[in-house]
Amino acid sequence: MQSDLYNIGQAAKASGISAKMIRHYEEVGLLPAASRTLSGYRTYNHQDVHMLRFIRHSRDLGFSIKQIADLLSLWRDKNRASSKVKSLAAEHIEMLNKKIEELSAMKSELSRLVSCCHGDGRPDCPILDSLSSE
Amino acid sequence: MQSDLYNIGQAAKASGISAKMIRHYEEVGLLPAASRTLSGYRTYNHQDVHMLRFIRHSRDLGFSIKQIADLLSLWRDKNRASSKVKSLAAEHIEMLNKKIEELSAMKSELSRLVSCCHGDGRPDCPILDSLSSE
DNA sequence: TTAGACCTTACCATCATGGCAAGGTCAAGC
DNA sequence: GCTTGACCTTGCCATGATGGTAAGGTCTAA
């Protein structure tokens, strides 16, 4: 029966990835080219939708498309070493950490400046003073 | 004398903004069109370089070009109310906070998964299991 | 048969930045 | 005066993940 076939809109709803992005992932090679109906519509089966969900979960954790491609190939490889997955994830945690630290540094410096600024109708402002300093 | 005139490379060095980005900022209207020599080279004076440094400091704090444009106009307005600067900065802190929280959520979820994964030669892996779950 | 919801491809935009290519300019050394 | 190398100019392309829009084909239900 056909009931386990999805068109792109249904696959999008089922996976939480927009139709736009599903096409994009196919174009950049993250997904294999989808099967097509005679009229050219892409079709997806349960397996495909399962893969789309995998991709969405990975994106939700901030993995890049390149990293997701690696995760997918590990996922498909039933003889993988879990250490490879773990190190990939650990690498990503490192990157998240780096970004968090960068943003936190910005935030604390800016918070410091904001707390120094009286913030009333007068023009003098330590924030601008700091931005224009040498 | 000419000694207070910089060409784009010198202005780049003095401000810490690449020549490429200086041209870009001019193109998108963050900077006024630079003066030119007869042969078409852009020239910058101390004032200009001061403004470039202001922009770099703002970028270092993560402000967007749009926000920097607002900061610049407040900087130039000697009758500004410091409250406007402060609220602009506070808004940006909010955005930084939001991003930090997003990244932190990713990090803690991923850390949890990583700590569950034995990470040896065996194929079973809670990280992949989680990514492929419903 | 027709309307409306859906699909297709092909562009353009975001945001900040880098790279490259082809060509003009300038300064220093011979 | 000429050459060389460093610098400048513009213009185009690329990133990464996503959204938008437009023009046109398809499917389904009434």
Side-chain angles (χ1 to χ4, degrees):
Chain A
M1 65 186 187
Q2 295 262 7
S3 68
D4 59 347
L5 284 186
Y6 301 72
N7 64 25
I8 199 170
Q10 294 163 331
K13 248 182 218 163
S15 67
I17 297 182
S18 70
K20 190 88 188 184
M21 289 312 297
I22 295 177
R23 291 191 196 99
H24 178 65
Y25 291 155
E26 177 179 328
E27 193 187 3
V28 301
L30 181 61
L31 294 173
S35 308
R36 303 279 187 140
T37 65
L38 285 178
S39 56
Y41 283 23
R42 287 173 181 81
T43 59
Y44 301 89
N45 59 28
H46 280 316
Q47 196 73 347
D48 297 326
V49 169
H50 195 186
M51 177 159 49
L52 287 171
R53 281 207 203 91
F54 183 99
I55 292 173
R56 184 172 64 78
H57 289 324
S58 303
R59 292 273 336 123
D60 288 347
L61 289 176
F63 285 104
S64 68
I65 289 191
K66 174 72 187 62
Q67 288 173 312
I68 297 175
D70 293 343
L71 286 171
L72 274 176
S73 84
L74 287 168
W75 186 42
R76 278 188 284 254
D77 176 7
K78 294 308 176 197
N79 295 315
R80 71 201 159 235
S82 63
S83 61
K84 288 195 180 169
V85 182
K86 188 167 181 170
S87 69
L88 216 160
E91 219 173 276
H92 183 47
I93 289 177
E94 266 322 286
M95 218 195 49
L96 289 172
N97 253 337
K98 204 178 129 204
K99 282 192 187 169
I100 289 169
E101 274 162 32
E102 281 171 10
L103 295 178
S104 297
M106 290 177 187
K107 178 189 154 186
S108 63
E109 169 65 0
L110 199 52
S111 296
R112 191 183 65 77
L113 292 174
V114 160
S115 71
C116 292
C117 177
H118 41 62
D120 56 18
R122 288 171 293 168
D124 54 303
C125 174
I127 302 172
L128 292 180
D129 290 348
S130 166
L131 289 174
S132 66
S133 68
E134 295 304 301
Chain B
M1 64 184 186
Q2 295 261 9
S3 67
D4 59 346
L5 284 186
Y6 301 71
N7 64 25
I8 201 169
Q10 294 163 330
K13 251 183 215 161
S15 66
I17 297 181
S18 70
K20 190 86 187 183
M21 288 312 296
I22 295 177
R23 291 190 196 98
H24 177 66
Y25 290 157
E26 177 179 328
E27 195 187 359
V28 300
L30 182 60
L31 294 173
S35 307
R36 303 279 185 139
T37 65
L38 285 178
S39 55
Y41 282 23
R42 288 173 179 81
T43 60
Y44 301 89
N45 60 27
H46 281 315
Q47 197 72 349
D48 296 325
V49 170
H50 195 186
M51 178 160 48
L52 287 171
R53 281 208 203 89
F54 183 98
I55 292 174
R56 185 173 62 79
H57 290 324
S58 303
R59 292 275 333 127
D60 288 347
L61 289 176
F63 284 105
S64 69
I65 290 191
K66 174 70 188 63
Q67 286 173 313
I68 297 175
D70 292 343
L71 286 170
L72 274 175
S73 83
L74 286 168
W75 186 41
R76 278 190 282 257
D77 176 6
K78 295 307 175 196
N79 296 315
R80 71 201 159 233
S82 62
S83 60
K84 287 193 182 170
V85 183
K86 188 167 181 169
S87 69
L88 215 160
E91 218 173 278
H92 183 45
I93 290 177
E94 266 322 286
M95 219 194 48
L96 289 172
N97 253 336
K98 205 178 127 202
K99 281 190 190 171
I100 290 169
E101 275 163 31
E102 282 171 10
L103 295 177
S104 298
M106 290 176 187
K107 179 189 153 187
S108 63
E109 169 66 359
L110 200 50
S111 297
R112 190 182 67 77
L113 293 175
V114 161
S115 71
C116 292
C117 177
H118 40 64
D120 54 19
R122 287 172 293 168
D124 52 303
C125 174
I127 302 172
L128 293 179
D129 289 348
S130 167
L131 289 174
S132 66
S133 69
E134 296 305 304

